[in-house]
Structure formats: C-alpha cells, structure tokens
Amino acid sequence: MVHVIATIDIAPGKRDEYLELFAQLVPKVQAEQGCLAYGPALDIDSGISVQIPLRENVVTAVEQWASLEELQAHLTAPHMGEYKDAVKDIVVGLTLQVLQPV
C-alpha cells in the first residue's frame, strides 16, 4: 500500500473553480483498480501551535493506493490527461509525497 499527499497550488481566486473540476474527477479515480481513497482537503485553523500557516490557494489531495504499480497506472489514465488539460490555467504548482506505511 502507498499513501500520496498531493499539494496543488491554485491561481489566486480560482480555488472554487478548481474544486468543481476536481469534484468531477473524484468518482473516476475512485473507480480505478487499486484506489482505496482519493479526495480533496483544505487547510483549516486548528489552533494547534505547530500547524503551518493556512494556505488559501492550496488544495491537498489525500490518496491511498493498494500498490505503487496501481498508482503509476492512475497517472496515465485517460481521465487524468483530460483533467490536466482542464486545469492547466488554474494549477500553478504541484508537489507529491509518496509514502509507504511501516
């Protein structure tokens, strides 16, 4: 199993538009072989002192995949290409953390 934390930087003022497009993607990804969890999350003010500053223009995708191979297949799925085309003028940066539980 692998966990993925995708940090998606959104152009200022475009977060709601991005979330609408992402919502259309979620059921397609969740239907993929090996997808155990997939969804967006937003920063909230927790009041916990060590929390990083809130990021207004960031959406975090939290994912869980049965295997690294299934994650890699996900990245080349046709709907992912369609999604990338749809958000190319909205997403200004992306970082991934791919983690293995111990």
Side-chain angles (χ1 to χ4, degrees), residues 1-5 63-65 68 71 96-102:
M1 180 187 327
V2 293
H3 300 285
V4 177
I5 306 298
E63 310 175 31
Q64 189 175 44
W65 294 88
L68 184 57
L71 167 61
L96 291 180
Q97 289 177 272
V98 181
L99 309 164
Q100 180 176 0
V102 293

Side-chain angles (χ1 to χ4, degrees), residues 19-30:
L19 287 170
E20 289 177 21
L21 293 166
F22 196 89
Q24 295 171 26
L25 176 68
V26 169
K28 297 173 186 176
V29 174
Q30 290 175 337

Side-chain angles (χ1 to χ4, degrees), residues 16-78:
D16 289 343
E17 180 181 353
Y18 175 78
L19 287 170
E20 289 177 21
L21 293 166
F22 196 89
Q24 295 171 26
L25 176 68
V26 169
K28 297 173 186 176
V29 174
Q30 290 175 337
E32 289 182 47
Q33 181 175 330
C35 181
L36 305 174
Y38 187 87
L42 301 174
D43 291 358
I44 63 167
D45 185 0
S46 67
I48 299 171
S49 63
V50 296
Q51 180 179 353
I52 65 172
L54 298 182
R55 302 163 300 168
E56 181 179 332
N57 297 312
V58 170
V59 174
T60 302
V62 180
E63 310 175 31
Q64 189 175 44
W65 294 88
S67 71
L68 184 57
E69 293 77 20
E70 287 162 318
L71 167 61
Q72 291 168 330
H74 154 71
L75 297 174
T76 61

